[in-house]
Amino acid sequence: MLRADRLTKVYQSGGRPLTVLNEVSLSVEPGGFLAVVGPSGCGKTTLLGLLAGLDTPTSGSVILDGNDLGRMSEDERARLRAEEVGFVFQTFQLIPTLTAQENVQVPIELGAQRHRGTEARDGAAARALELLERVGLAGREHHYPSQLSGGEQQRVAIARAFANEPKILFADEPTGNLDRANGQRIVELLGQLNREMGTTLVLVTHDQELAAQAGSILRLRDGRVVA
Amino acid sequence: MTRLRFLVAMAWRETRASRRRLLLFASAISLGVAALVAIGSFTANLQTALRRETRTLLGADLAWSSARPFSDAVEAVLDSARAAGIGVVRRTLFSSVGYVRRIEGRSRLVEVRAVGPEFPFYGEVVTSPAGLWDALDTGRVAIVDTALLVALDAEIGDTLELGRGRFRIAATVSDVPGHMMGGINAFGAQAYIPERFVGETGLIVFGSRVSYQALFRFPGANEAARFERSHTRLLDSERLRSYTTDDAESDITESLEQMSQFLQFVSLIALLLGGIGVASGVGAFLAGKLETIAVLRCLGARRALVFAIYLTQAVALGVVAAVAGAAAGVLVQLMLPRLLSDLLPVTVQVSLEPEVILSGIGIGAVVAVLFALRPLLEVRLVSPLEAIRKDYEAAPRRPRDPLRLVAGGLLLIGVFAITMGRHDDPKIGLGYAGAIIGSVVALTAAARIAIWIARRLTSGRVRARWPYVVRQGIANLHRPRNQTRAVVTSLGFGVSLLAALYLIQANFLRQILRATTESASRPNIVFVDIQRDQVADVLSRAESTAHGAMQVVPMVPMRIHSVNGRDVPTLLRDTTGRRPLRWTVRREYRSTWRDTLVPTERLVQGAWWEGDGSAEAVTSGGTRVYPVSLSTDVATDLKVTLGDTIVWNVQGLHVATRITSLREVDWASFQPNFFAVFPTAALASAPTTWVLLMRIEDARERALLQRRLAEAHPNVIAFDVAVIARTIDRIFSRIAIAVRFMAALSLTTGALVLLGAVAAGRLQRIREGALLKALGATRRKLSRILLSEYVALGVLASVVGIGLATATAWAFTKFVMEMPFSLPAGPLLAVFASVVVLVAVVGLTASREVFRRTAMEVLRDM
């Protein structure tokens, strides 16, 4: 499903090169669950960005569902994300001007450019409602992000992540901004959706307990795989 | 001391990385200041120039004018003045249709200005070729307005025919002193001829409009006023109008003042709208500083200190923006005399006006600080706790802050203080302050309403039907800490200026042009001053080209002799409320006789007479009293009503009338309308001239007929509706230049507020863009979303601006010009479209960064 080969990322920092990722390779099977762990600043987030095609590596390659990201343009990668990738962020990243339901609809509508029309749109709305119900937010679909608690916002974000039925889901410290109980709920939710929908899951966290639920774990330190 | 140094240092450091953005917010103020300084300084320069050259405006120290030839009594005064060493020169103004024989089919309405040999006493006449003005003293020549040569297709050296007089065109002239004294025919191109040939033209006949003038030059200062005072009685009894250099100066300075005040009024509104932009920008800037402020508070900074730091920034920013504005204003001031030299009656020398510059800087800085105050106050309320709380937790509800009200109050007081300080009369100052605040309130209210409606229209079910990019774009307008209202308000103002100007101009011109465009039966050419013995011939010549019916209307010049038995001097001495307005009893009435109503008038009181009115004429005390119908407006100003009697002086004969009806008249129509309409029986034998109204479709045929009539009956004057419309358009476009300039300025202010808003929301926008990219949006989609956002913004601003402009123009057309109002859709759509394009281009250009950043940003802590 996902394979990375000797990924290296070098940033220019104050005029000097800074190697954030150094020859990291990994692979995840379809339906698999990989946790990337490590202390802050070890390059976790950079790796996630490269794997999802948000950024381009200095060297190395990423094959996502058979697509070599290095050979795709920015817009092609965007299209790939719209159709096959889901995201959950540490800071939720809901669009503040859209209601919960509209936020969930965004990926559907971004992916649905080839089958537009009222029918598709009604479908999107129905699907968004269904997803919100699944994450336990039935009845809150017309709330704006600012009217929701942190845990609720993250559940909306998860509903959004699954909205386009992604083949692979990237989660970046999804519980980092939540308290214990809410964090636990989110992890359970992710695991449940992973099982039910067969979505490949890549989770970045510094939380060992959380990582323990993954099928495989990749440990990073100073931009290198340590185990 | 160290405290103060820390404060200033902190304030300075705190602007790091956002100095450019802060200056952008503040630049919205700069434009307003620039306009105030440029207009104020230039007006002051112009006034100085006028005061220096005041005698040039009149071309003399004193001038008298009369609609009748000077009586023997006046001639005697002129003779004795001459004998006393006072310079006296005559000038006679009248209308003619001029043509050049060798050029077929052309003629042009001319205002003939016949001048005596010493004219003008003061100032210099610039002729082209140069130095030919003196040719008027010796030859049978004319020196003409360039427009006349163009209209006639003539050249210097051609012979200009004015009535029976023939004059060799010696030169053209651009600027002749003395033009500040009343002309008689605004539609005529000017031609100067020697005064001694007036009689030869044969143009002054019964009914002609003529202004007979005498201009004086006194050897010593103050003698003009003394001379004028010693002849007050003569002036009154002879109905002479007396004009001193002071009158000429105050005439022009008054209109100058009005223009300048209007422009400064607009500048102040632009300045205040810029202020709203500043408030909005500062608010957004501070929103990004909340964490810093909380940290400062954690570290032990007291509220007052934190507030002082940001207040210091605001003051510094306001001063920098205002100084920059003032500098720009001075630059504009330096360029204005060159740009406007054709329009100005005097040569303007530019000099710096420190008072204007300093007050401009002061006003700009004060406005910036006052507007920044409200968002700044929030700074005091930031709790140190916020430094450790995460931003997803809803910000704690802040208590209502009474100081916000104080800040609002200060702002109001500031506006009043500024306008009161600029006007000597407190009433006018209050009026302007009220109008300014009213305009700003109306604009913000309209913006609020439009945004509210947009929000309603694009939420819930309605929104669900729209394409995603559009929905997302419109939703962006409501993003937290958005500046939609500030942008819509400031842009809306520019749009409203532009649209209101256009609407008023278009409605006015449409009314004038109705004759040629709307209905095929309306007249489009009018011949006046047709004498009794010329009527038959004129009609027979005109008949062949006429389209539809020709209308021949008699016209009898007359004055009011008495009202209800009291003569004019008695009437004017009346101290009770019954004293008529001066113009109603002093003017020369041109009345008509007819026995039916015409379509442009409506009977509102009383009854129309039967037949020719002779049956209703009654004899009382040996005189016949005829019925008469007055227009409602003249009846109001004359303080008369049904049943009152008026005795008219018709060329020395008294005609007694009783008011039997009042008519409401549509003056705006291109039709002969009359204050007083008499029954046929009353006037049929009075000395009369006729007016012929007709329609000739073909412009060339219209020109041909004018030319043929000019040759056969030179005293008959033609008014072509097209020429009139062109003249009015030209007068309008001079005012329009100034208003367009202000509209451009306001639109630029709006664009700056927009840029500031984009800059203020920069991080949020980039984050949103990155997020959407991460979720799979292509750059194309992103750009469509942004495009929808800015198009929606442009639409809102246009709707607000055009809506307000329509309301203003409607009220102005309806109540001030008293004309029907219409909304020309095409040009308004063009304004609408160009504003939308402007906003979209500015917005998208300013948002380039959103496309450039990678989706990776969304994972980074921003």
Side-chain angles (χ1 to χ4, degrees):
Chain A
M1 182 66 214
L2 175 68
R3 208 179 72 226
D5 196 23
R6 300 170 62 159
L7 277 182
T8 299
K9 181 73 184 178
V10 181
Y11 285 113
Q12 291 295 321
S13 169
R16 277 187 305 170
L18 179 72
T19 307
V20 186
L21 272 187
N22 202 343
E23 308 227 316
V24 174
S25 302
L26 60 87
S27 97
V28 189
E29 292 308 306
F33 182 174
L34 170 74
V36 179
V37 293
S40 65
C42 69
K44 298 189 299 273
T45 300
T46 306
L47 175 62
L48 188 72
L50 294 178
L51 293 178
L54 300 184
D55 204 354
T56 49
T58 312
S59 67
S61 67
V62 179
I63 312 290
L64 180 60
D65 194 26
N67 298 291
D68 185 347
L69 297 187
R71 290 166 185 265
M72 298 168 83
S73 75
E74 195 191 325
D75 282 347
E76 284 167 339
R77 280 183 272 134
R79 237 167 246 135
L80 181 68
R81 281 197 297 276
E83 283 159 21
E84 305 193 358
V85 179
F87 266 106
V88 177
F89 305 99
Q90 178 175 5
T91 49
F92 324 142
Q93 303 281 13
L94 297 180
I95 297 175
T97 49
L98 303 185
T99 62
Q101 183 191 337
E102 289 168 335
N103 262 291
V104 176
Q105 274 172 240
V106 168
I108 308 177
E109 303 192 271
L110 284 175
Q113 52 194 6
R114 273 174 294 279
H115 29 92
R116 57 178 87 190
T118 332
E119 213 174 296
R121 220 169 285 141
D122 288 347
R127 171 134 183 83
L129 285 176
E130 182 202 319
L131 281 162
L132 281 173
E133 205 178 312
R134 275 174 85 167
V135 299
L137 286 176
R140 324 250 359 213
E141 63 270 15
H142 293 311
H143 287 62
Y144 285 91
S146 61
Q147 298 167 312
L148 298 170
S149 77
E152 287 169 332
Q153 288 188 47
Q154 194 61 306
R155 277 187 275 153
V156 174
I158 289 173
R160 179 177 69 185
F162 282 97
N164 56 343
E165 300 176 24
K167 291 187 177 160
I168 185 162
L169 180 83
F170 293 97
D172 180 26
E173 300 272 14
T175 61
N177 275 354
L178 297 176
D179 59 36
R180 194 88 221 144
N182 267 314
Q184 195 54 44
R185 240 197 114 182
I186 295 298
V187 175
E188 279 166 20
L189 200 54
L190 282 173
Q192 183 194 345
L193 291 166
N194 167 243
R195 283 188 302 277
E196 285 174 11
M197 302 173 103
T199 310
T200 310
L201 195 57
V202 176
L203 173 73
V204 163
T205 182
H206 62 273
D207 185 339
Q208 299 287 347
E209 215 172 306
L210 196 58
Q213 307 187 20
S216 54
I217 298 181
L218 182 82
R219 289 179 203 284
L220 277 184
R221 178 161 298 158
D222 296 333
R224 289 172 187 278
V225 181
V226 289
Chain B
M1 192 60 217
T2 49
R3 192 67 184 278
L4 187 66
R5 196 182 295 161
F6 171 72
L7 175 78
V8 173
M10 239 350 253
W12 173 243
R13 287 182 206 134
E14 248 305 275
T15 59
R16 268 182 203 151
S18 43
R19 277 172 205 150
R20 272 174 59 193
R21 193 148 42 105
L22 284 170
L23 278 178
L24 188 59
F25 300 150
S27 61
I29 290 279
S30 308
L31 279 181
V33 173
L36 278 179
V37 168
I39 295 162
S41 306
F42 182 68
T43 309
N45 289 170
L46 189 51
Q47 268 163 350
T48 313
L50 286 173
R51 230 166 282 135
R52 205 177 45 231
E53 293 187 43
T54 169
R55 291 189 302 196
T56 313
L57 299 174
L58 200 57
D61 293 310
L62 176 72
W64 286 354
S65 77
S66 166
R68 295 179 295 178
F70 291 137
S71 67
D72 293 343
V74 179
E75 292 290 357
V77 170
L78 297 185
D79 283 342
S80 56
R82 244 180 240 118
I86 299 169
V88 180
V89 66
R90 283 165 189 278
R91 196 164 77 146
T92 310
L93 271 48
F94 53 97
S95 298
S96 169
V97 174
Y99 58 91
V100 169
R101 198 164 289 274
R102 81 172 170 87
I103 293 145
E104 299 277 321
R106 298 252 193 163
S107 61
R108 172 76 165 89
L109 185 59
V110 177
E111 183 186 79
V112 183
R113 301 189 151 200
V115 295
E118 277 180 282
F119 179 87
F121 286 131
Y122 303 106
E124 213 177 315
V125 184
V126 183
T127 58
S128 161
L132 284 176
W133 184 253
D134 290 343
L136 288 176
D137 296 347
T138 51
R140 191 182 289 267
V141 298
I143 293 178
V144 303
D145 195 340
T146 321
L148 182 61
L149 281 194
V150 174
L152 294 180
D153 199 18
E155 292 161 9
I156 288 175
D158 274 332
T159 300
L160 177 68
E161 315 241 352
L162 296 170
R164 313 228 175 276
R166 310 184 69 194
F167 303 89
R168 188 178 57 82
I169 300 174
T172 59
V173 72
S174 54
D175 196 15
V176 182
H179 66 254
M180 273 317 291
M181 206 190 149
I184 56 152
N185 183 348
F187 307 118
Q190 287 161 13
Y192 290 84
I193 60 165
E195 222 264 341
R196 57 187 185 279
F197 297 123
V198 170
E200 208 171 281
T201 63
L203 285 169
I204 298 181
V205 294
F206 169 70
S208 305
R209 288 167 188 76
V210 185
S211 174
Y212 300 90
Q213 306 177 344
L215 287 82
F216 302 88
R217 179 184 56 198
F218 296 91
N222 300 327
E223 280 180 47
R226 208 177 313 137
F227 184 82
E228 188 187 33
R229 265 199 308 281
S230 63
H231 292 94
T232 335
R233 194 162 301 162
L234 178 79
L235 293 173
D236 231 28
S237 65
E238 297 289 330
R239 302 194 201 219
L240 290 175
R241 173 128 168 62
S242 181
Y243 231 72
T244 62
T245 50
D246 285 348
D247 294 330
E249 189 199 333
S250 69
D251 264 14
I252 190 165
T253 43
E254 236 166 68
S255 51
L256 185 68
E257 283 268 284
Q258 280 171 359
M259 194 65 184
S260 164
Q261 277 180 5
F262 169 72
L263 293 178
Q264 298 197 21
F265 167 73
V266 175
S267 314
L268 274 176
I269 295 179
L271 186 63
L272 291 180
L273 294 176
I276 295 178
V278 169
S280 172
V282 166
F285 167 73
L286 289 174
K289 291 284 178 192
L290 290 184
E291 227 167 312
T292 314
I293 295 164
V295 170
L296 277 174
R297 298 272 285 118
C298 275
L299 298 177
R302 296 199 313 185
R303 285 179 166 194
L305 177 67
V306 174
F307 178 66
I309 289 173
Y310 290 96
L311 182 65
T312 309
Q313 285 180 3
V315 171
L317 200 63
V319 171
V320 169
V323 168
V330 170
L331 275 183
V332 174
Q333 178 208 354
L334 295 180
M335 293 184 321
L336 277 179
R338 218 170 302 154
L339 290 177
L340 300 178
S341 62
D342 285 350
L343 301 177
L344 297 175
V346 289
T347 321
V348 176
Q349 254 143 37
V350 178
S351 63
L352 291 185
E353 301 283 337
E355 204 182 309
V356 176
I357 295 172
L358 286 178
S359 90
I361 293 176
I363 290 171
V366 165
V367 165
V369 171
L370 286 181
F371 269 102
L373 214 48
R374 274 168 70 104
L376 275 178
L377 284 170
E378 301 257 324
V379 164
R380 291 164 38 260
L381 304 176
V382 173
S383 148
L385 268 181
E386 286 177 45
I388 47 176
R389 277 187 191 153
K390 290 293 179 184
D391 81 342
Y392 63 83
E393 286 196 17
R397 268 207 167 277
R398 302 218 163 87
R400 268 204 167 277
D401 187 355
L403 280 181
R404 281 175 67 93
L405 282 180
V406 175
L410 277 178
L411 196 55
L412 277 185
I413 293 171
V415 171
F416 273 95
I418 288 167
T419 49
M420 305 283 275
R422 308 195 128 232
H423 299 278
D424 299 332
D425 185 347
K427 252 194 219 155
I428 296 178
L430 276 178
Y432 267 107
I436 287 171
I437 290 168
S439 311
V440 173
V441 166
L443 276 162
T444 41
R448 246 174 218 269
I449 292 169
I451 292 166
W452 182 80
I453 292 174
R455 183 158 205 173
R456 290 300 299 261
L457 280 183
T458 56
S459 65
R461 250 185 234 147
V462 186
R463 196 203 263 191
R465 304 271 151 219
W466 294 15
Y468 163 69
V469 288
V470 176
R471 271 180 289 143
Q472 176 72 56
I474 291 176
N476 279 354
L477 293 179
H478 307 296
R479 67 159 62 79
R481 299 194 286 267
N482 70 71
Q483 295 179 68
T484 307
R485 208 190 306 154
V487 175
V488 169
T489 311
S490 52
L491 279 172
F493 179 59
V495 177
S496 72
L497 271 182
L498 210 60
L501 170 78
Y502 176 76
L503 281 174
I504 291 169
Q505 188 172 0
N507 271 291
F508 193 66
L509 278 179
R510 189 187 63 97
Q511 193 65 29
I512 302 297
L513 285 172
R514 220 163 48 172
T516 48
T517 55
E518 197 180 76
S519 146
S521 63
R522 284 175 185 277
N524 60 6
I525 187 162
V526 178
F527 295 96
V528 305
D529 293 352
I530 306 170
Q531 308 291 309
R532 198 178 281 272
D533 58 358
Q534 294 173 326
V535 177
D537 186 58
V538 169
L539 280 180
S540 75
R541 282 170 194 270
E543 225 152 29
S544 58
T545 48
H547 183 278
M550 296 193 294
Q551 207 182 331
V552 186
V553 180
M555 214 182 248
V556 179
M558 57 180 70
R559 292 175 185 280
I560 287 182
H561 175 259
S562 67
V563 177
N564 290 332
R566 301 191 301 161
D567 65 3
V568 170
T570 318
L571 284 169
L572 286 175
R573 277 198 299 274
D574 192 337
T575 48
T576 69
R578 297 275 294 166
R579 179 168 63 194
L581 297 192
R582 217 176 154 76
W583 72 270
T584 56
V585 289
R586 298 266 304 191
R587 70 173 285 116
E588 187 180 69
Y589 286 81
R590 287 168 186 270
S591 306
T592 194
W593 77 76
R594 60 175 139 83
D595 299 322
T596 51
L597 283 163
V598 294
T600 52
E601 57 192 8
R602 196 164 60 84
L603 198 68
V604 289
Q605 257 187 63
W608 199 251
W609 50 81
E610 300 278 323
D612 67 355
S614 54
E616 279 163 64
V618 291
T619 310
S620 85
T623 49
R624 293 281 281 167
V625 181
Y626 293 93
V628 73
S629 176
L630 292 192
S631 80
T632 47
D633 28 18
V634 79
T636 308
D637 286 356
L638 194 54
K639 306 270 162 65
V640 293
T641 180
L642 291 184
D644 285 336
T645 58
I646 302 176
V647 176
W648 306 83
N649 177 345
V650 183
Q651 307 298 308
L653 279 172
H654 287 181
V655 175
T657 56
R658 197 167 54 82
I659 304 168
T660 55
S661 67
L662 296 178
R663 292 159 302 124
E664 204 173 83
V665 176
D666 172 17
W667 295 106
S669 59
F670 191 64
Q671 293 275 343
N673 284 306
F674 298 93
F675 285 128
V677 176
F678 289 71
T680 306
L683 290 184
S685 56
T688 307
T689 64
W690 273 263
V691 176
L692 165 66
L693 296 99
M694 59 189 297
R695 182 173 186 87
I696 304 173
E697 290 299 341
D698 185 34
R700 214 172 42 87
E701 278 192 42
R702 218 155 54 218
L704 273 176
L705 178 64
Q706 285 178 59
R707 172 66 180 265
R708 280 206 302 272
L709 285 179
E711 287 172 21
H713 305 287
N715 63 294
V716 173
I717 309 294
F719 290 91
D720 188 323
V721 75
V723 174
I724 294 172
R726 256 201 305 279
T727 308
I728 290 171
D729 198 29
R730 203 174 54 231
I731 295 167
F732 250 113
S733 41
R734 287 195 182 172
I735 306 166
I737 292 173
V739 180
R740 285 213 183 95
F741 174 74
M742 296 313 292
L745 178 104
S746 317
L747 278 178
T748 315
T749 301
L752 282 173
V753 173
L754 172 62
L755 282 176
V758 174
R762 179 176 152 265
L763 289 181
Q764 216 176 346
R765 242 166 242 274
I766 291 172
R767 195 173 348 190
E768 269 175 28
L771 174 61
L772 286 169
K773 276 187 187 174
L775 294 178
T778 55
R779 269 177 299 190
R780 202 174 146 78
K781 282 233 156 152
L782 267 187
S783 64
R784 282 206 199 142
I785 289 171
L786 286 177
L787 185 67
S788 315
E789 175 180 349
Y790 294 118
V791 166
L793 200 57
V795 167
L796 279 175
S798 302
V799 164
V800 165
I802 292 177
L804 283 178
T806 306
T808 315
W810 172 81
F812 188 80
T813 315
K814 180 106 181 149
F815 299 115
V816 180
M817 303 202 296
E818 299 187 350
M819 289 178 175
F821 180 71
S822 81
L823 209 55
L828 284 188
L829 277 178
V831 171
F832 185 93
S834 30
V835 171
V836 170
V837 169
L838 170 83
V839 174
V841 168
V842 171
L844 283 179
T845 313
S847 309
R848 286 189 315 272
E849 229 180 340
V850 176
F851 305 108
R852 242 190 282 127
R853 301 293 190 95
T854 66
M856 191 62 196
E857 315 259 349
V858 74
L859 295 179
R860 306 251 168 242
D861 186 28
M862 288 185 292

